[in-house]
Amino acid sequence: MPATNDGWPEEFGFRISGNGPCYILAVEEGSSAQVAGLQPGDQILEIEGQHVSAMNCEALVALARQCDTVPPSIGVVSRVQRLDLTPGPEGRFGFTLACDGGCPLQVESVAPASPASESGVKAGDYVMEVNGVPVKQYEEAAAMIQSCQGQGLRLGLLRLGRLQRWASSSVREFVQSADAIHQERRQKAQEFSKKVQEILGDQPEVKEKMFTILKQYAAERKVDCLAYALAMVLTKESQHLLLDNIRALSAREACGGDYGPPETLVIRQSGLHLALLSQFLLLICATEERLPFP
């Protein structure tokens, strides 16, 4: 693992591209990026909790390299589109592939009125999957496609060009979605604070200990032992409801929340440090103390 972010993202085992939004094009086998759950075709939504959908590749890399956390946490969503192709009269699909060095495979050409054209395949599309199997090598993909001639074929594609042409509207949608997410987080933090007051209103010492633990674990980003530490403080049966609420909220935040339309809800928090979850725990504490929201 690199000691700094100076070589991000290549030194962490992945490559990105895009003019805003940006996408992950390749992930090296056995790299820290692969271990963290990054996948080709992911769109980068957040870096250390900051929304980056409108940033181009150069600005995104500059931001990530300035982060103190190594590696910076990344919120991503899969943008792989899956298209089903039926073979033509001669069993062919009507497209060709090209491979340019270390880049993912791309559709080189699409024949007019072919099954590929009718299914929506475009020249320049990145081919991420063939029949649900990730592909990187031209020979591997070509062999799998040829074996499907006369049968159905499913391609997993990433289309940077089309998404870039939609960038202005897409950015607005993601900004609106991000604002809605932050509003939801605030609301959930406020609801949790009300429950704390209902259950621990007459137990100020227990309440203080609980929020001290939340602050400590959120600030240090050691949230994996959070439930155990709280269980040592919230020992009464009447207090267990708070534990259940924290577990539920933490599980949701650790998965990155909900972004985008339903068909794209494949979201992971890639960083080895769960920055978003830590921010959410701090938000709960800020709500309780009537501090400004982060």
Side-chain angles (χ1 to χ4, degrees):
M1 175 79 69
T4 70
N5 290 321
D6 292 344
W8 190 96
E10 289 82 2
E11 289 188 2
F12 294 93
F14 66 106
R15 297 176 59 249
I16 66 174
S17 182
N19 291 328
C22 293
Y23 305 86
I24 295 173
L25 295 186
V27 178
E28 295 178 9
E29 293 288 338
S31 65
S32 57
Q34 185 187 49
V35 172
L38 295 181
Q39 298 178 9
D42 285 348
Q43 178 185 334
I44 301 176
L45 298 176
E46 293 185 340
I47 299 287
E48 286 291 307
Q50 178 176 338
H51 302 288
V52 296
S53 294
M55 287 187 179
N56 62 25
C57 189
E58 182 179 356
L60 189 78
V61 169
L63 172 65
R65 292 181 177 181
Q66 293 173 2
C67 292
D68 295 329
T69 304
V70 181
S73 64
I74 309 177
V76 299
V77 58
S78 176
R79 287 301 180 197
V80 174
Q81 305 174 53
R82 293 172 176 84
L83 301 179
D84 292 315
L85 285 67
T86 55
E90 298 180 358
R92 300 181 180 275
F93 299 104
F95 69 96
T96 61
L97 294 178
C99 182
D100 182 15
C103 295
L105 297 173
Q106 280 187 285
V107 176
E108 183 178 37
S109 64
V110 179
S114 66
S117 176
E118 293 176 356
S119 297
V121 179
K122 304 289 185 182
D125 286 349
Y126 286 100
V127 180
M128 301 297 185
E129 301 173 357
V130 174
N131 286 339
V133 179
V135 292
K136 296 181 180 179
Q137 303 298 326
Y138 176 87
E139 294 78 8
E140 175 189 13
M144 294 177 66
I145 293 171
Q146 289 176 1
S147 69
C148 291
Q149 290 187 357
Q151 307 175 36
L153 172 68
R154 168 168 285 196
L155 295 178
L157 304 176
L158 176 64
R159 185 169 302 164
L160 270 65
R162 187 179 75 176
L163 290 174
Q164 288 173 6
R165 289 197 295 272
W166 292 351
S168 59
S169 61
S170 296
V171 169
R172 286 196 299 270
E173 291 171 3
F174 278 110
V175 169
Q176 292 169 356
S177 176
D179 289 341
I181 290 166
H182 286 301
Q183 289 293 339
E184 183 183 359
R185 286 174 177 167
R186 292 189 182 99
Q187 181 179 352
K188 289 187 177 296
Q190 291 168 349
E191 292 174 354
F192 178 77
S193 293
K194 290 180 181 179
K195 291 181 180 178
V196 171
Q197 185 60 32
E198 293 174 1
I199 296 175
L200 300 180
D202 58 347
Q203 303 171 62
E205 293 184 0
V206 176
K207 183 178 177 182
E208 182 179 357
K209 289 180 180 179
M210 187 192 72
F211 279 105
T212 298
I213 291 173
L214 289 178
K215 289 179 184 178
Q216 177 184 351
Y217 280 84
E220 297 176 358
R221 294 182 177 177
K222 297 178 180 179
V223 295
D224 50 339
C225 299
L226 181 62
Y228 174 79
L230 288 173
M232 301 300 292
V233 173
L234 304 175
T235 57
K236 297 182 179 180
E237 185 174 352
S238 60
Q239 301 168 351
H240 289 176
L241 178 61
L242 293 178
L243 280 176
D244 294 338
N245 274 268
I246 292 174
R247 288 192 184 102
L249 292 171
S250 298
R252 183 180 184 279
E253 289 299 314
C255 291
D258 290 341
Y259 290 86
E263 64 269 20
T264 60
L265 294 185
V266 185
I267 301 174
R268 296 168 299 284
Q269 184 63 26
S270 70
L272 301 180
H273 311 279
L274 296 176
L276 294 181
L277 176 54
S278 297
Q279 290 177 1
F280 184 68
L281 296 177
L282 288 174
L283 179 60
I284 290 177
C285 298
T287 303
E288 175 63 21
E289 297 176 0
R290 304 296 192 271
L291 296 177
F293 290 117

